Amino acid sequence: MGGDILTIAGRTFHSRLWVGTGKYKDFLETQKAIEASGAEVVTVAVRRVNITDRHSENLLDYLDPKTYTILPNTAGCYTVDDAVRYARLARAAGVSDLVKLEVIGDERTLFPDTAGLIEAAKILVKEGFVVLPYTNDDPIVAQKLVDIGCPAVMPLAAPIGSGLGIRNPYNLKIILDTVNVPIIVDAGVGTASDAALAMEYGADAVLMNTAIAGAQHPLVMAEAMKYAVEAGRLAFQAGRIPRKLHASASSPIEGML
Amino acid sequence: MDIHVNGQPRDVSEGTTVTGLLEALQLTARKVAVEVNLEILDKQDFDGRLLNEGDRVEIMSFIGGGTVS
């Protein structure tokens, strides 16, 4: 599928699996899992540097920004002001204008505060950021984010880290049908079939972190996810057969005794 | 003079610049973002930006994260 390219804001990607870099044992495991996943886009969080341990390593020593598209997020931000501040800090750190915008509404569910998300997106788009918003599986909010100028939208499959898979497939299908920018299903994937399903529905990419990092064997799961996303994409492009209640023989009757 | 760096008090000499502080902390300017009293600095201003008594400096970088981790 050399010609199957995902384009977002002029950037092109061959892999449709995007991965987070949290929850791994160490940077080496992070690096190996990302290699095994074949991902080109990796999300990172922005945090205070550890100034007491002078030997602490930097994640970017393990993930070369020349090889990967580094997608900073505003994870952990519960207000518009915080999300905007973190996005600006991420850009100031000098990786890119990309931001995975998160404005979280609630600690227990980590569901997005979509009103805050829209407000923060407006501010950041005006400042020239390429805003990729983490949003709920709400088609109306997704369209509003596009109208603001987000070049892609990232609806959740299920709560972050829940591993529940696609909780609301029909809403996701409506988003895919009505919103005319790349849709990246983000959060909630539990295993390979969840990712494959998202791609079969027509998602343009899938972003995950815990499903890989939290697996008993992260490197093996990373590879499984790579194939799942590829298989799901191919099945979407191939066009599945309709579901029917009754059988339909695959072998001809003609020529039988 | 006393300043705050990432929430911790720190004594630095008069005339310390942001670049000087980063060097003292053995941090590479290329990989961090610096905020002084809520103002985010351009990297090209690190050399010339003098720190003042009571400044609140935040030095930020990228860590592993998917969403909230």
Side-chain angles (χ1 to χ4, degrees):
Chain A
M1 297 307 299
D4 184 29
I5 288 168
L6 170 62
T7 304
I8 296 174
R11 294 165 170 83
T12 54
F13 308 104
H14 293 91
S15 170
R16 289 170 183 271
L17 173 57
W18 295 16
V19 295
T21 51
K23 298 185 178 175
Y24 287 99
K25 190 176 68 189
D26 51 36
F27 286 156
L28 191 62
E29 189 185 65
T30 313
Q31 183 188 50
K32 284 184 171 175
I34 290 167
E35 268 174 30
S37 76
E40 294 165 303
V41 180
V42 297
T43 64
V44 299
V46 181
R47 292 292 181 270
R48 279 174 164 168
V49 168
N50 182 344
I51 55 167
T52 46
D53 176 9
R54 296 186 178 194
H55 298 290
S56 64
E57 295 179 296
N58 190 300
L59 177 64
L60 296 189
D61 294 335
Y62 288 81
L63 298 171
D64 187 350
K66 291 191 189 80
T67 308
Y68 296 102
T69 297
I70 306 293
L71 176 57
N73 63 38
T74 61
C77 293
Y78 285 80
T79 65
V80 172
D81 286 351
D82 267 356
V84 167
R85 183 184 183 192
Y86 275 72
R88 289 171 180 158
L89 283 165
R91 181 157 74 175
V95 172
S96 78
D97 292 340
L98 289 169
V99 63
K100 181 189 157 192
L101 182 61
E102 302 182 29
V103 182
I104 302 297
D106 169 66
E107 258 179 57
R108 191 164 173 210
T109 62
L110 298 179
F111 277 137
D113 168 356
T114 51
L117 181 68
I118 287 170
E119 202 182 325
K122 277 183 188 164
I123 296 168
L124 293 171
V125 166
K126 268 191 202 141
E127 292 181 13
F129 282 86
V130 176
V131 178
L132 309 180
Y134 164 68
T135 184
N136 220 323
D137 53 9
D138 179 333
I140 304 301
V141 172
Q143 185 58 50
K144 284 187 177 182
L145 290 162
V146 174
D147 294 343
I148 288 166
C150 298
V153 176
M154 310 179 77
L156 55 82
I160 293 165
S162 69
L164 289 172
I166 301 169
R167 297 283 67 203
N168 207 340
Y170 292 97
N171 268 30
L172 180 59
K173 286 180 182 183
I174 292 172
I175 292 174
L176 291 165
D177 190 45
T178 58
V179 179
N180 198 22
V181 296
I183 302 298
I184 298 131
V185 171
D186 178 10
V189 165
T191 188
S193 51
D194 297 333
L197 200 56
M199 295 306 293
E200 286 174 22
Y201 289 160
D204 294 279
V206 178
L207 195 161
M208 66 183 74
N209 189 159
T210 310
I212 297 174
Q216 286 186 39
H217 304 288
L219 306 194
V220 181
M221 188 58 92
E223 196 177 1
M225 290 300 185
K226 172 183 163 178
Y227 294 131
V229 167
E230 285 175 8
R233 177 67 183 171
L234 285 170
F236 169 71
Q237 291 176 314
R240 61 153 298 152
I241 61 163
R243 288 184 170 84
K244 286 186 283 191
L245 186 60
H246 293 290
S248 151
S250 354
S251 308
I253 305 291
E254 205 182 297
M256 285 189 74
L257 296 174
Chain B
M1 60 182 184
D2 292 323
I3 62 171
H4 277 80
V5 181
N6 288 4
Q8 295 172 25
R10 188 174 179 89
D11 184 23
V12 297
S13 51
E14 297 278 340
T16 299
T17 62
V18 168
T19 298
L21 176 65
L22 293 176
E23 280 169 1
L25 293 167
Q26 297 176 17
L27 292 169
T28 312
R30 191 170 55 80
K31 293 174 181 168
V32 299
V34 178
E35 195 187 68
V36 179
N37 304 329
L38 301 180
E39 177 204 348
I40 297 169
L41 305 185
D42 286 336
K43 282 187 202 286
Q44 60 260 35
D45 296 336
F46 286 3
D47 281 348
R49 177 64 180 248
L50 285 168
L51 294 171
N52 298 305
E53 174 81 29
D55 276 352
R56 305 192 80 86
V57 182
E58 298 290 350
I59 305 172
M60 310 289 282
S61 190
F62 297 117
I63 63 147
T67 33
V68 176
S69 51

